[in-house]
Amino acid sequence: MKPLILVVEDEAPIVTLLRYNLEREGFRVVEAGDGEEALLLAAERKPDLVLLDWMLPLLSGIEVCRRLRRGADSKNVPIIMLTARGEEGDRVRGLNSGADDYVTKPFSPSELIARVRAVLRRARPSTDEETLRYGDLLMDLASHRVKRSSRDIHLGPTEFRLLRHFLEHPGRVFSREQLLDTVWGPDVYVEPRTVDVHIRRLRKALNADQDDDLIRTVRSAGYALDAAGALA
């Protein structure tokens, strides 16, 4: 089945451009012209990825993104924000609301398609008999073991859950609040800075032999499993 892309955009020429290029590359496309219609279609059609304009009638793209992330069936759907806002603060707001990537208008259709493919790949981590892989990192879910190259990685229960969540969503930036809800659970109250403590422990375990840092810190946004590893 070809991946289904939900295009949420109120400018007809851009919708036509996106549909033409996406369908030419083998994707199926469904369209929404405002934020409320986008949420209805996301619930009905369950898209594989959402291309979401920032400036929309009725509900802004930021609010649509937040609501999708709160939904049980839509919280893991990849989202790429499309916007004419190109300042760093706007990019941070978009990522902090739960977007996986951010494309500034005007954009190159070929670059956008490449970004769509990359985000879809990251959203579908390789699995093989209950294993999760990312680069030289391997997590065996059945035996509860983690290896980096040939080295055993010893993790506490919280660090293991944290790393598993990152491995299931490589490249995606998660805020402290999102990690607390997912890894610790919505009914457990801990300070958001607790996440920083466990991230440091996870980094120390993963990078014991001075390997490249796999955890990327995004200022004012959160953390991601990303081989870049540097501050962004």
Side-chain angles (χ1 to χ4, degrees):
M1 180 73 72
K2 297 177 181 178
L4 177 64
I5 310 298
L6 171 56
V7 173
V8 188
E9 171 63 65
D10 63 330
E11 296 185 34
I14 296 179
V15 173
T16 301
L17 177 69
L18 290 171
R19 175 179 282 279
Y20 171 78
N21 283 277
L22 287 165
E23 290 181 342
R24 187 180 65 176
E25 294 296 324
F27 297 100
R28 294 178 296 139
V29 176
V30 61
E31 306 165 7
D34 61 61
E36 291 186 354
E37 184 183 11
L39 293 173
L40 288 173
L41 283 174
E44 293 173 357
R45 302 295 300 273
K46 294 182 172 54
D48 296 289
L49 182 141
V50 179
L51 285 175
L52 179 60
D53 186 34
W54 182 307
M55 302 298 290
L56 290 170
L58 303 182
L59 288 175
S60 72
I62 290 289
E63 182 60 26
V64 171
C65 188
R66 288 174 179 149
R67 294 193 189 187
L68 288 174
R69 287 290 171 249
R70 290 198 297 264
D73 294 330
S74 59
K75 64 182 179 181
N76 293 324
V77 175
I79 298 171
I80 298 178
M81 295 286 294
L82 301 176
T83 178
R85 296 170 174 261
E87 285 74 18
E88 180 181 356
D90 294 321
R91 292 197 298 272
V92 169
R93 278 189 66 199
L95 293 170
N96 206 28
S97 70
D100 297 273
D101 203 352
Y102 190 103
V103 176
T104 304
K105 299 176 183 176
F107 53 82
S108 159
S110 59
E111 179 185 353
L112 180 64
I113 295 296
R115 297 242 193 149
V116 167
R117 294 191 187 282
V119 171
L120 284 172
R121 282 196 302 270
R122 294 200 302 263
R124 299 169 180 174
S126 58
T127 57
D128 180 20
E129 297 181 355
E130 296 186 295
T131 63
L132 296 171
R133 300 175 185 268
Y134 183 83
D136 59 356
L137 193 63
L138 171 67
M139 174 178 281
D140 188 320
L141 300 175
S143 65
H144 218 70
R145 291 172 181 255
V146 178
K147 284 182 177 288
R148 185 165 188 189
S149 296
S150 58
R151 176 170 61 90
D152 287 323
I153 306 292
H154 301 288
L155 300 175
T158 301
E159 286 74 39
F160 186 91
R161 294 196 304 273
L162 193 59
L163 180 59
R164 175 174 180 173
H165 184 65
F166 282 134
L167 284 166
E168 290 173 340
H169 307 89
R172 182 177 157 194
V173 179
F174 292 95
S175 68
R176 293 183 183 91
E177 290 74 16
Q178 289 171 325
L179 291 172
L180 285 172
D181 283 346
T182 304
V183 177
W184 277 261
D187 298 325
V188 178
Y189 177 76
V190 292
E191 291 290 336
R193 290 292 176 181
T194 301
V195 174
D196 300 338
V197 174
H198 289 279
I199 289 288
R200 286 197 295 271
R201 291 178 183 172
L202 180 58
R203 273 190 166 128
K204 183 177 180 181
L206 293 178
N207 306 329
D209 287 346
Q210 297 184 334
D211 296 313
D212 292 337
D213 192 356
L214 295 180
I215 306 297
R216 179 164 62 100
T217 301
V218 181
R219 289 190 183 96
S220 303
Y223 300 100
L225 180 68
D226 190 327
L231 289 173

